[in-house]
Amino acid sequence: VIRCRAAVAWAPNEPLSVEEVEVAPPKAGEVRIKIVATGICHSDDHVLKGSLPNVEFPVILGHEGAGIVESTGEGVTSVKPGDKVIPLCLPQCGECSFCQNPESNYCQKFHFSEPQNLLPDKTSRFSCKGKQIHHFVWVSTFAEYTVVPEYAVAKIDPAAPLDKVCLFGCGFSTGYGAAINTAKVKPGSTCAVFGLGGVGLSVVMGCKAAGASRIIAVDINKDKFAKAKQLGATDCINPQDFKKPVQEVLTEMTGQGVDYSFEVVGHADTMIAALASCNMSTGVCVMVGVMDSEISIDPTLLLTGRTWKGTMFGGSWKMREDIPKLVSSYLEKKFNPDLLITHTLPFAKVNEGFDLLHAGK
């Protein structure tokens, strides 16, 4: 058993509490990882606000991490102690019908199909003050050590800087893949990206890499615009600067609406605006943000031919195979997600990280 620090969420709507926890050794088919770096994602915040379903408290959150294998359980063959790895919040079991479908990157072992608050044997490897602590989508990167199933681990290049490639565990892969894989953005096309957090800026990078000729970045926080332009946005607009709905603004800017729109906020009103801002015949709207409510739409928005689709973790990446390839492309300098990192904090200041997130910084 390893004793280490973890940021425990004891209950919703409370700050995280940095505690000493006990992390049990990995059982058969499991891997124990020393987490070196982790990002903070808005999905963690959704859990703390109680708006992500089926998560049980107390829990160790975090799902955007990178680390080094400390030990492995019986039967583990794909990684060994000392390997650099990214734990995967979307696993790749290799056995379910989705894993065996080349067009799908979803896995039926993911939390949306079956809550993953405990490891596959329905027990936890975490305890604190004599209490069982739940896992979060099996990764729980807000702990100095974590235990995950082997099929939720991607082995990466030993040269990868863990404090940078932790973003490939969720934000960068999700946004970049939404443009490349889900929308399949074509060269010369026009795109609109609603929401310029880490995932939205990764969508901008994906649209640019795909050869889009015009990328319109949309956010109510103007402080995000400089970085959006640095990463490839050609225009930046704040919906609050206009007296008309932003979808009308975008339609006027482009003549008939954009070819591709991306909603990376998770609000019903921006979802409807994103759908209405892509052209009514061949426009594609991709939902990337985790929705915080139900939504009602006018079906005629789809009747004329628009496509409305969701994406999970960047579309068709097969997680255990493709995340290592993405890391290798990063090491070859094919893209630079380092620009997404705004602050680097010591682990004890994890709550300050959430404060910066809430402040839009």
Side-chain angles (χ1 to χ4, degrees):
V1 174
I2 288 177
R3 286 176 180 80
C4 66
R5 292 180 304 168
V8 178
W10 289 104
N13 299 305
E14 289 181 11
L16 299 175
S17 178
V18 177
E19 308 268 9
E20 183 181 82
V21 299
E22 295 181 341
V23 185
K27 295 185 182 179
E30 297 175 357
V31 180
R32 187 160 62 180
I33 301 167
K34 178 183 182 181
I35 297 292
V36 174
T38 182
I40 293 177
C41 175
H42 228 112
S43 303
D44 301 309
D45 197 50
H46 285 316
V47 177
L48 289 173
K49 291 193 166 83
S51 60
L52 202 66
N54 302 322
V55 178
E56 292 182 36
F57 290 80
V59 61
I60 296 172
L61 298 173
H63 61 282
E64 196 175 78
I68 297 165
V69 174
E70 178 271 336
S71 59
T72 58
E74 184 186 336
V76 171
T77 57
S78 61
V79 294
K80 63 186 185 303
D83 284 346
K84 284 187 178 180
V85 292
I86 291 175
L88 304 169
C89 55
L90 180 57
Q92 184 188 346
C93 75
E95 295 172 357
C96 71
S97 60
F98 291 138
C99 280
Q100 292 182 359
N101 180 341
E103 293 178 12
S104 161
N105 76 328
Y106 191 79
C107 173
Q108 284 169 302
K109 296 233 179 351
F110 181 61
H111 183 83
F112 283 1
S113 294
E114 183 184 340
Q116 307 302 0
N117 301 312
L118 297 168
L119 288 180
D121 71 349
K122 303 305 176 201
T123 62
S124 173
R125 301 293 163 269
F126 296 124
S127 59
C128 179
K129 300 176 180 173
K131 288 185 177 167
Q132 171 183 280
I133 308 296
H134 291 94
H135 294 249
F136 175 55
V137 293
W138 283 341
V139 287
S140 295
T141 59
F142 292 172
E144 291 177 319
Y145 288 84
T146 190
V147 178
V148 300
E150 181 181 17
Y151 47 73
V153 179
K155 178 181 172 180
I156 59 170
D157 192 308
L162 297 175
D163 61 333
K164 303 292 194 290
V165 300
C166 61
L167 299 180
F168 290 64
C170 177
F172 174 73
S173 308
T174 296
Y176 191 79
I180 300 282
N181 299 330
T182 308
K184 296 183 169 60
V185 170
K186 292 177 182 164
S189 59
T190 58
C191 302
V193 181
F194 288 73
L196 302 176
V199 183
L201 291 170
S202 300
V203 175
V204 170
M205 293 167 78
C207 292
K208 184 182 180 187
S213 63
R214 193 170 186 191
I215 303 167
I216 306 168
V218 183
D219 204 302
I220 57 173
N221 181 352
K222 290 183 175 177
D223 295 343
K224 306 273 189 183
F225 290 172
K227 189 159 279 187
K229 289 203 162 167
Q230 192 181 357
L231 291 170
T234 54
D235 309 73
C236 294
I237 62 172
N238 179 348
Q240 294 174 339
D241 290 345
F242 302 92
K243 290 192 165 65
K244 59 180 77 168
V246 68
Q247 54 265 44
E248 292 181 23
V249 176
L250 287 163
T251 302
E252 286 175 11
M253 286 173 73
T254 55
Q256 75 282 344
V258 297
D259 299 306
Y260 305 95
S261 64
F262 301 85
E263 201 278 356
V264 205
V265 184
H267 291 326
D269 55 349
T270 43
M271 191 69 251
I272 291 164
L275 183 60
S277 67
C278 66
N279 83 66
M280 65 195 298
S281 173
T282 57
V284 175
C285 176
V286 180
M287 180 169 84
V288 191
V290 176
M291 290 297 290
D292 60 3
S293 63
E294 291 192 354
I295 184 171
S296 58
I297 65 154
D298 174 358
T300 55
L301 283 169
L302 299 172
L303 193 66
T304 50
R306 280 186 183 91
T307 302
W308 188 19
K309 50 201 321 194
T311 185
M312 176 68 70
F313 216 107
S316 56
W317 309 127
K318 291 289 187 189
M319 305 312 301
R320 300 191 70 203
E321 300 154 31
D322 288 329
I323 295 303
K325 291 177 190 169
L326 270 180
V327 170
S328 297
S329 295
Y330 161 74
L331 293 172
E332 292 162 12
K333 296 189 166 47
K334 290 185 178 171
F335 39 71
N336 186 16
D338 294 6
L339 295 167
L340 303 173
I341 299 171
T342 55
H343 299 75
T344 303
L345 300 170
F347 183 49
K349 293 190 175 180
V350 62
N351 285 309
E352 289 184 28
F354 278 91
D355 292 341
L356 289 162
L357 181 78
H358 297 146
K361 294 182 174 160

